Amino acid sequence: MIFTPKTGSFEGMKSMNRATILNMVRLEGPISRAQIAKRTKLTPPTVGTIVQELMEEDLLIEETGIGKIQGGRKPLMLSIHSSAFYAIGVYAAAEVVHTVIATLDGEIFMEKEERMQTPPPLEEFLQLLSRSVSFVIEESGAAPEKIIGIGVAMHGLVNSEEGTAIFSPHLQLENIPIQQHLEEKFSIPVLVENDVRTLTLAEGWYGEGQNISHFLCVSVGLGIGSGIVLDNTIYRGPVHSAGEIGHTVVDVSGPKCHCGNYGCLEAYASESSILEQTQRQLRFGKPSLLHEIAGDKELTMQHVYQAVAEKDPLAMEVAADAGRYLGIAIANITNMLSFSKIVLEGELFQVGDVILDPLRSMVEKRTLRSVRNATTIAISPLGKKGMVIGAFTLVIDQMFQAGTRQETKYKKSSSSLSS
Ligand SMILES: [Zn+2]
């Protein structure tokens, strides 16, 4: 995403200037004060005062630059002091909790994965989260006062304002107070967001969404979700449910979806529906290498991928169908919102052209020409790890925004430490 300072109230001006300078250094650094003033159109004294404050907060460092400026002095170049602070990211997926700690430039230096054999009850799930966070703090040796926050990527419906998981389909739990639990336990700001939206944020910071103001990130796994970035902002909608591309209808007379509707994309192209369709075709006695590949074991997506790689017609047909339906759904939403880029995430896309060709061809056929010419399709370079990268990026992203809750809390915690 491109950083664009938002216009705000007069009181918000300083906070906005601070965010503008921080982002200029992040994106363009090492950079001198004079260059910042020139690029941001802020006055040199304003830049000087804010840079001084940011250096006192240990967020910026300066070093002598290369070359000479008029008067023979070497310019002092500013950079983000990346290793001065850390952010923790937690990704609570369907069966695993992945926890990492990273520096401000996104370098992960300690991580832990814990598998959940069976969906745990509420209290046990919350304790699993806090146990994982404690582990990375202790094992990494990070000083707690250097940790600016904990970001949690949670599957299912999430209220990011309240920091709760409204509904988790895999855990079958409602209203999980994730933010409250972790803030009470660690006294560090906690942010919670839906996992596909954290992936989208990570793509904007480190992946295919960099410098793109309007893009769609589609994630295909057991279900299908998407993150929508409009004008550099992730769109959540009034009830936090925006992006449910999996439940857009791609065939009015299609099969029943688990949401109760008929013909949803998820009933055609999610991993669970691909498996169901493949099993059905095998039961009908269609010849396939899958009989040998799976043997007497239960059919998995790995078997299907292997069959596609071995050019098994049945597996290739099911994958191509999934690609076509994904293409229809993507074309519909692209016609509606006009994205510059579509970023695809999911193991499914590793089978390559078998799924991507019909997907691209459907997007090509079903989008308006003006939209089509301005849209590209890319595979997520971050993959599943994008969810946890996005989780800690939630915290870092807020630190770089003007006048946000995180900045207020962050400032509060630094002043309480120094007092
Ligand atoms: Zn549905």
Side-chain angles (χ1 to χ4, degrees):
M1 277 174 278
I2 305 160
F3 175 79
T4 38
K6 295 180 178 71
T7 49
S9 64
F10 183 73
E11 311 89 66
M13 192 64 82
K14 191 177 168 198
S15 163
M16 200 175 80
N17 291 344
R18 172 192 154 97
T20 305
I21 292 174
L22 260 182
N23 280 282
M24 181 59 65
V25 179
R26 174 172 78 82
L27 297 168
E28 308 286 333
I31 185 168
S32 70
R33 287 170 178 76
Q35 285 167 325
I36 295 173
K38 197 173 168 191
R39 298 283 304 276
T40 59
K41 307 227 170 3
L42 294 169
T43 65
T46 302
V47 172
T49 308
I50 294 173
V51 163
Q52 188 58 35
E53 282 176 16
L54 290 170
M55 284 176 65
E56 280 163 16
E57 286 177 40
D58 214 14
L59 278 170
L60 295 185
I61 44 169
E62 70 181 351
E63 55 190 341
T64 310
I66 305 159
K68 286 181 180 176
I69 55 163
Q70 233 176 354
R73 280 165 50 215
K74 285 181 180 170
L76 290 168
M77 306 300 276
L78 297 158
S79 305
I80 299 291
H81 193 185
S82 306
S83 57
F85 296 99
Y86 313 116
I88 290 173
V90 183
Y91 171 34
E95 291 164 345
V96 69
V97 171
H98 186 187
T99 308
V100 305
I101 183 162
T103 54
L104 292 187
D105 54 1
E107 197 182 315
I108 295 171
F109 59 98
M110 169 63 62
E111 57 189 307
K112 179 183 174 59
E113 269 193 12
E114 194 154 341
R115 292 205 78 77
M116 295 179 277
Q117 298 306 337
T118 46
L122 179 70
E123 264 314 305
E124 229 174 86
F125 174 68
L126 289 170
Q127 274 161 24
L128 171 60
L129 295 184
S130 44
R131 197 166 64 239
S132 303
V133 171
S134 292
F135 179 89
V136 296
I137 294 176
E138 283 161 23
E139 289 294 310
S140 66
E145 67 272 18
K146 298 259 184 190
I147 300 168
I148 57 166
I150 301 166
V152 181
M154 178 71 194
H155 67 273
L157 196 56
V158 170
N159 180 336
S160 57
E161 282 160 30
E162 291 178 6
T164 55
I166 300 170
F167 176 62
S168 154
H170 297 295
L171 303 177
Q172 285 296 310
L173 291 174
E174 289 180 18
N175 302 317
I176 312 172
I178 297 175
Q179 183 190 74
Q180 188 195 342
H181 172 78
L182 292 177
E183 283 191 348
E184 277 173 11
K185 182 99 187 160
F186 297 100
S187 304
I188 300 173
V190 174
L191 296 166
V192 186
E193 184 55 280
N194 163 269
D195 56 358
V196 183
R197 287 196 202 115
T198 67
L199 165 74
T200 307
L201 181 69
E203 289 295 335
W205 270 67
Y206 311 104
E208 282 287 343
Q210 290 182 78
N211 301 316
I212 310 281
S213 57
H214 296 73
F215 70 94
L216 176 73
C217 190
V218 180
S219 173
V220 182
L222 292 172
I224 302 177
S226 77
I228 300 166
V229 173
L230 298 174
D231 207 6
N232 298 304
T233 307
I234 292 180
Y235 180 69
R236 295 179 175 84
V239 290
H240 318 281
S241 68
E244 290 284 5
I245 194 172
H247 299 288
T248 54
V249 177
V250 288
D251 180 357
V252 281
S253 49
K256 192 169 187 180
C257 174
H258 61 88
C259 73
N261 202 347
Y262 289 85
C264 292
L265 173 64
E266 207 160 285
Y268 286 97
S270 66
E271 288 185 347
S272 20
S273 61
I274 289 175
L275 271 180
E276 263 173 45
Q277 285 163 47
T278 312
Q279 274 159 338
R280 194 177 314 128
Q281 305 248 23
L282 290 173
R283 274 200 303 273
F284 288 156
K286 282 215 174 173
S288 169
L289 292 173
L290 281 162
H291 292 292
E292 287 167 37
I293 293 171
D296 46 9
K297 294 201 183 92
E298 196 185 338
L299 189 74
T300 66
M301 280 308 286
Q302 297 311 320
H303 296 140
V304 178
Y305 296 143
Q306 190 185 332
V308 172
E310 294 181 24
K311 304 214 178 308
D312 174 59
L314 189 155
M316 286 171 75
E317 191 189 311
V318 174
D321 268 348
R324 264 188 289 277
Y325 284 110
L326 278 164
I328 293 171
I330 289 169
N332 285 339
I333 187 169
T334 304
N335 274 334
M336 184 82 181
L337 296 171
S338 178
F339 301 106
S340 318
K341 199 179 246 187
I342 312 294
V343 185
L344 306 170
E345 185 281 323
E347 208 179 344
L348 193 67
F349 299 111
Q350 302 309 320
V351 304
D353 292 342
V354 176
I355 191 164
L356 291 173
D357 280 350
L359 188 157
R360 285 199 189 100
S361 137
M362 204 48 90
V363 172
E364 180 98 350
K365 275 189 211 150
R366 307 291 171 114
T367 45
L368 299 168
R369 190 157 32 138
S370 56
V371 177
R372 178 164 71 238
N373 293 343
T375 309
T376 55
I377 297 175
I379 302 292
S380 159
L382 306 174
K384 271 282 172 276
K385 201 154 192 180
M387 314 284 190
V388 78
I389 293 173
F392 70 72
T393 307
L394 283 173
V395 178
I396 299 176
D397 182 68
Q398 279 237 331
M399 205 179 83
F400 282 86
Q401 302 285 338
T404 56
R405 194 176 68 97
Q406 176 69 33
E407 192 191 322
T408 321
K409 282 201 177 185
Y410 166 71
K411 280 189 162 172
K412 232 186 262 169
S413 69
S414 9
S415 63
S416 66
L417 286 168
S418 56
S419 63

